[in-house]
Amino acid sequence: MHALVPLVLAVSGLPALLVAAWMSRANDIRSRGQALHWLLVGLAIQAGAVGVYFAGDDGRRAQGIVIAMVVLVNALIVSMVLQLRRNRKQP
């Protein structure tokens, strides 16, 4: 039961890594930038899972790691949206 939460968290980060691999196949610059952002999101979730695992039974430490991970993932998503708006093709 001790490793169940980090395992669920790590599995929930795998789709972001798969999306990054799928998006990196395209040759345009926007797809590569998006792939990088998705990769960073997936790695942040994986790092959060490792941190929660090593936090163990210390609830305050695990809570701090989860809050930091959520803030980082949301900041990366905002960065991705801003990059997409900035690199929008003009008609």
Side-chain angles (χ1 to χ4, degrees):
M1 195 69 171
H2 170 58
L4 184 62
V5 173
L7 181 65
V8 169
L9 193 58
V11 169
S12 71
L14 290 179
L17 296 173
L18 294 174
V19 169
W22 179 65
M23 298 218 46
S24 68
R25 298 183 326 162
N27 286 331
D28 63 338
I29 192 73
R30 290 187 309 163
S31 294
R32 301 263 173 141
Q34 264 192 308
L36 178 64
H37 277 89
W38 279 111
L39 177 70
L40 292 174
V41 165
L43 290 177
I45 294 172
Q46 297 298 323
V50 170
V52 168
Y53 177 76
F54 283 121
D57 292 332
D58 189 2
R60 292 182 60 116
R61 186 176 291 170
Q63 186 178 20
I65 290 169
V66 169
I67 289 171
M69 181 193 64
V70 168
V71 168
L72 180 60
V73 167
N74 284 322
L76 285 167
I77 290 173
V78 167
S79 173
M80 183 180 357
V81 169
L82 291 175
Q83 180 190 14
L84 286 173
R85 291 189 66 177
R86 185 174 48 237
N87 294 335
R88 191 178 349 180
K89 290 184 179 177
Q90 299 299 327

